[in-house]
Amino acid sequence: MLDAGYAAPRIAHLLCGLPIEILGWLRSGRVMRRPTPLRVYDPKAGRPPKHGGEFVFGDPST
């Protein structure tokens, strides 16, 4: 069990695969990113995106 001061998503990522469950508080204004979209080669385009779309906890539309 983690308080809001700890990085619960990061700890959960590091400990994935272990038989444990993590419970943590997250700020309502926190923004997370979705997975990066598949890379499609386009010779006219610039650098591929580093992150996917935003997931905002306080915004029900995301």
Side-chain angles (χ1 to χ4, degrees):
M1 187 161 187
L2 304 170
D3 195 3
Y6 294 93
R10 177 71 179 149
I11 292 172
H13 174 74
L14 292 173
L15 299 176
C16 73
L18 295 177
I20 61 172
E21 293 183 11
I22 296 181
L23 177 65
W25 289 67
L26 297 174
R27 290 179 312 144
S28 63
R30 177 141 185 183
V31 176
M32 300 181 106
R33 298 286 186 161
R34 297 184 192 277
T36 307
L38 293 176
R39 195 171 171 181
V40 177
Y41 178 72
D42 184 7
K44 293 184 239 170
R47 181 174 66 167
K50 200 180 237 188
H51 304 287
E54 288 185 349
F55 178 81
V56 183
F57 287 108
D59 186 5
S61 66
T62 63

